[in-house]
Amino acid sequence: MVTDRQVQELVAGVLEIDVADVGIDRSFYAELEMDSLHKAEFIVALERACGAEFAPADAALMDSVGDVMRLLHDRRRVT
């Protein structure tokens, strides 16, 4: 199970920013300036953290921690 805090920490680690700057609904692209290489690194880290693989279509839907948590919830990876 992955928590929203863990997802925030993964994003912060990839972007090399303070975890406090990664709000639940902050856009990875528009607000946190994540690029496609960061996104790929984040997806790999997330897959390792939750033991699941994500299709490119799923990854494309992830633009905030909230989006990630909704997707994980839909896949029953969180409670």
Side-chain angles (χ1 to χ4, degrees):
M1 303 274 206
V2 177
T3 66
D4 55 351
R5 178 65 182 195
Q6 290 170 315
V7 174
Q8 287 174 297
E9 290 171 353
L10 290 174
V11 172
V14 167
L15 296 177
E16 298 179 359
I17 60 175
D18 192 294
V19 71
D21 294 332
V22 184
I24 297 296
D25 293 316
R26 292 197 70 195
S27 169
F28 293 159
Y29 294 105
E31 296 176 271
L32 300 177
E33 300 179 6
M34 182 180 277
D35 62 25
S36 60
L37 293 176
H38 291 128
K39 182 73 169 267
E41 186 178 344
F42 166 69
I43 295 299
V44 169
L46 181 62
E47 288 176 337
R48 287 181 183 151
C50 67
E53 290 187 26
F54 297 98
D58 290 336
L61 298 173
M62 298 180 197
D63 186 44
S64 70
V65 173
D67 292 340
V68 173
M69 296 309 293
R70 281 185 284 282
L71 183 65
L72 292 176
H73 183 267
D74 290 349
R75 289 180 166 226
R76 306 204 190 313
R77 296 285 180 189
V78 295
T79 57

